[in-house]
Amino acid sequence: MLETTPERSRAGGARSKSFYIETFGCQMNVHDSEKVAGVLLGRGYRPAENPAQADLVLYNTCSIREKAAQKVFSRLGEFKSASKEKLIGVLGCVAQQEGEEIFERAPWVSLVCGSASYRKLPELVAEIEAGGRRVTGLDLDTDETFETEITRRDNPYRAYLTIIEGCDYGCAFCVVPRTRGPERSRPSSAILNEARRLADSGYTEIQLLGQTVNSYRDPSPRGMGFVELLREVTAVRGIRRVRFTTSHPNDFTRDTVAAIDSTPALCDHIHLPVQSGSTKVLRAMRRTYTREEYLEKIFWIRSAQRPISITSDIIVGFPGETETDFDETMSLLEQVQYDALFSFKFSPRPNTQALDLTDTVPEEEKGRRLSILQEHQRQIQIARNETLVGTTQEVLVDAQHTARGQWAGRSTSNRVVNFTSPRENLLGEYVSVKVFRAGPNSLVGEHVLQPI
Ligand code: 5AD
């Protein structure tokens, strides 16, 4: 239960202080907020239900695609008058990118901290509590990961677990190396201890996280590689499902497919962002692989004994992308038959190499390409999901839609499955669902009471 009593004391006052974190962006950001919440709980803060009731309001920002900075500044503007009673902090990618500029444009902000400095958060929070007005954590030059004693996990069924932070690739479009810092893997013992603690506290599904999760290299003497780590995490007693995201195609090796084939607890899903189907554009993007090399990896996955679902990210309208290049992306879609796709119009980001390229594709044309791509992908998903009608899927139930009389959860391939059941109290349970209908984004079925 969250506290609802409004507290008007300034952080640092005698009464228990409260915090509220608003999070934008990817799973890594969501999980960072969970860890930041853990740090604050460890310092005696309690969660507030909304920003108005909180003594400390933190914005965990994302700048991967949109003009995020403007949005953050306008959101911060809403807190100008309230800032006499509360402390305001900006975390994440926009914090890292804009740095001290934030204090200039929004002087009521007290804390600006990028993710590579979260390990210093306890000290930074102590500084604000002691009356510090312009506290920053903007160092990118780190080889440490963000370890926390407590992490407040917001999803009671699927736990995120970071295995690697930052990124050493230099993709021309991407802010991540500049906002999250260099790649650094966590020692395997820390990861496995956390996995055991998660299992002990009742979690059965773990999602391993990293910007390039499969570049994992254990820095401790045990020297585990990614696949060995996968096997160890799945071996933790009580863990029934292990997922991982995001894999970089360059580091994707055949033994990951072999591990999925031989380890039922490893989910049959791989997110393998391709970004473009044209080798020319891939080169301009500095993605380090060609279309053919990527397709070879897809072939490995498709050759598995277990069907493995494949999802991807695509950018349309990268500088220099011609109609022919775009056609190659369309033909790649046709060839791969992705189970789901996240697709975006290219947008120039600060401090990236693509900023130096001329943004040749007009906005309207980017939009046209994106709609063609998304419509084609929709048809692919309808067809792929229809092949699952009549099958029985194991679903981890994570939601109940009382109004619709339905339950919902995810299959191991990460599909959303909505279903009816004569039973009650299914949240957190693994159930067998017979699929009788399919749409582009979900399956519909009914609970079958005998095991799969
Ligand atoms: N423009 C458009 N899309 C981008 N992405 C990353 N940077 C950009 C950008 N500048 C997309 C990529 C990445 C996903 C998380 O966001 O597809 O894989």
Side-chain angles (χ1 to χ4, degrees), residues 411-432:
S411 68
T412 141
S413 68
N414 212 31
R415 286 182 168 82
V416 172
V417 184
N418 296 303
F419 65 97
T420 49
S421 172
R423 292 237 335 255
E424 287 176 16
N425 304 327
L426 290 179
L427 290 176
E429 302 280 316
Y430 288 81
V431 302
S432 299

Side-chain angles (χ1 to χ4, degrees), residues 64-65 173 275 313 315 344-347 349:
I64 194 128
R65 284 180 296 269
F173 51 82
Q275 311 299 359
D313 295 348
I315 299 175
F344 316 100
K345 293 191 277 188
F346 169 73
S347 83
R349 310 281 66 224

